[in-house]
């Protein structure tokens, strides 16, 4: 069960990451910027933190959103951050907007998704060479995606991964490729719960084997997680995301591969988790 109050043994993973990697935060000289969540739907409809947002006719959505965020930054006297989930262009972007109107991209994750249009089908990500026994299934999945048969693609992707696990084992490269393809199909099918869970499992496996691509999988998981609208599910998957993020980020720090951008994703996840767990209907007693 979920509780709004955190016990001492349930400390926020992203707070640990952010404060340990940023001495100025430990010293109390900086504080996190405000975070806004913008959703641009396939039809252009836009919401900001769940509230419908009017975009003047003929004005680009992103320009209007950044202009509003500029006003927020000015009124606060400090930068604000906005996570933009753009379903029209299939990307998730985290932008920081300063009081002077300047902005910078902190994080961006892009996928092809959505219904097939007259302009042609979206491109399925390249899959590494697979044995003949899997190649036919991969081809069928590609065809199903290209023709908009998303339910069939999901069923075939599940079958592909199950077969690869039985034939090669759960950690084999062919199985991981099948796993990644199933996560992509879940994303294309509008199933962020499954996409998040599968990307996290891939991240766990890659991290266990010392594969640096664990970072990519965590980033994809976060992008999918931002699309989860149901509060309890978003909290559960957010906790799972942070639990996977901690060892991956710690390993990067230990190996001297940490960058300034490494603090961005934990901060984003932590901010949304704080917002989610402040929802009144989420106050349930019991252990997490």
């Amino acid at each position: 069960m979920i509780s709004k109050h955190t016990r001492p043994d349930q400390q926020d993973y992203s707070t640990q990451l952010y404060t340990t990697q940023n001495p100025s935060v430990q010293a109390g000289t900086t504080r996190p910027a405000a975070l806004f969540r913008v959703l641009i739907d396939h039809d252009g409809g836009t919401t900001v933190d769940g509230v419908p947002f009017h975009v003047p006719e003929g004005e680009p959505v992103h320009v209007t959103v950044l202009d509003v965020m500029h006003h927020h930054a000015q009124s606060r006297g400090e930068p604000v951050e906005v996570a933009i989930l753009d379903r029209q262009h299939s990307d998730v972007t985290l932008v920081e907007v300063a009081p002077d109107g300047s902005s910078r991209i902190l994080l961006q994750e892009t996928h092809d998704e959505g219904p097939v249009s007259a302009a042609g089908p979206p491109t399925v990500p390249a899959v590494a060479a697979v044995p003949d026994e899997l190649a036919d299934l991969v081809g069928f999945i590609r065809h199903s995606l290209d023709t908009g048969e998303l339910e069939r693609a999901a069923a075939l992707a599940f079958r592909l991964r199950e077969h690869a696990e039985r034939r090669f084992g759960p950690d084999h490269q062919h199985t991981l490729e099948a796993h990644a393809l199933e996560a992509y199909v879940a994303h294309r099918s509008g199933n962020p719960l499954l996409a998040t869970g599968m990307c996290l499992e891939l991240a766990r496996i890659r991290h266990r084997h010392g594969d640096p691509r664990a970072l990519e999988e965590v980033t994809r998981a976060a992008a999918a997680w931002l699309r989860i609208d149901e509060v309890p599910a978003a909290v559960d998957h957010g906790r799972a995301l942070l639990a996977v993020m901690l060892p991956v980020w710690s390993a990067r720090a230990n190996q001297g591969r940490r960058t300034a951008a490494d603090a961005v994703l934990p901060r984003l996840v932590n901010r949304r988790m704080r917002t989610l767990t402040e929802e009144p209907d989420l106050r349930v007693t019991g252990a997490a």
Side-chain angles (χ1 to χ4, degrees):
M1 301 295 286
I2 301 166
S3 172
K4 179 181 175 182
H5 303 288
T6 304
R7 302 195 306 266
D9 61 330
Q10 293 176 321
Q11 292 182 347
D12 194 310
Y13 287 112
S14 59
T15 299
Q16 293 178 22
L17 285 166
Y18 188 51
T19 55
T20 352
Q21 298 179 8
N22 294 271
S24 60
V25 176
Q26 292 176 313
T29 57
T30 64
R31 62 175 176 170
L35 175 67
F36 295 85
R37 184 170 175 263
V38 174
L39 174 63
I40 304 172
D41 220 330
H42 293 295
D43 61 1
T46 304
T47 61
V48 177
D49 289 343
V51 179
F53 177 76
H54 174 69
V55 178
E57 187 175 353
E59 186 167 337
V61 176
H62 289 77
V63 172
T64 307
V65 167
L66 290 178
D67 185 51
V68 170
M69 293 303 127
H70 175 207
H71 288 303
H72 279 296
Q74 280 185 319
S75 65
R76 293 169 181 268
E78 61 184 5
V80 299
E81 292 177 1
V82 52
I84 303 174
L85 289 71
D86 188 343
R87 289 177 174 164
Q88 290 184 322
H89 299 94
S90 308
D91 60 31
V92 175
T93 307
L94 180 64
V95 181
E96 181 186 78
V97 182
D100 64 2
S102 61
S103 62
R104 64 188 181 109
I105 294 176
L106 302 176
L107 181 75
Q108 187 165 40
E109 175 68 19
T110 303
H111 288 279
D112 290 314
E113 70 165 338
V116 178
S117 67
T123 304
V124 180
V127 177
V130 295
D132 292 341
E133 61 189 284
L134 301 182
D136 287 344
L137 264 179
V138 171
F140 291 145
I141 293 169
R142 288 177 181 275
H143 177 74
S144 297
L145 288 173
D146 289 348
T147 56
E149 299 176 89
L150 300 181
E151 289 187 9
R152 175 175 169 76
L156 290 172
F158 173 78
R159 179 180 165 191
L160 174 69
R161 179 176 58 82
E162 290 281 292
H163 177 76
E165 285 184 355
R166 288 194 302 268
R167 175 71 174 80
F168 303 103
D171 292 1
H172 192 279
Q173 186 58 39
H174 294 328
T175 304
L176 297 184
E177 292 291 342
H179 200 140
L181 182 56
E182 186 179 8
Y184 172 76
V185 172
H187 170 82
R188 282 281 306 277
S189 302
N191 190 341
L193 288 170
L194 180 59
T196 302
M198 300 210 72
C199 288
L200 287 178
E201 181 58 24
L202 267 174
R204 291 186 191 99
I205 295 172
R206 294 197 188 282
H207 173 66
R208 189 165 64 241
H209 291 281
D211 188 338
R213 285 176 295 177
L215 174 64
E216 297 173 18
E217 303 299 350
V218 171
T219 304
R220 292 190 181 101
W225 174 70
L226 285 169
R227 290 181 165 89
I228 300 176
D229 294 322
E230 301 84 356
V231 173
V235 171
D236 287 344
H237 283 68
R239 285 176 173 157
L241 177 58
L242 291 170
V244 174
M245 191 179 294
L246 179 61
V248 172
W249 261 244
S250 297
R252 285 176 58 78
N254 293 337
Q255 295 162 7
R257 292 189 288 113
R258 189 182 68 202
T259 67
D262 283 0
V264 172
L265 193 57
R267 191 168 71 242
L268 169 63
V269 176
N270 184 40
R271 297 279 171 63
R272 189 182 182 212
M273 285 292 287
R274 286 179 178 172
T275 301
L276 290 169
T277 52
E278 287 171 0
E279 294 289 336
D281 59 356
L282 196 64
R283 298 182 185 181
V284 183
T285 58

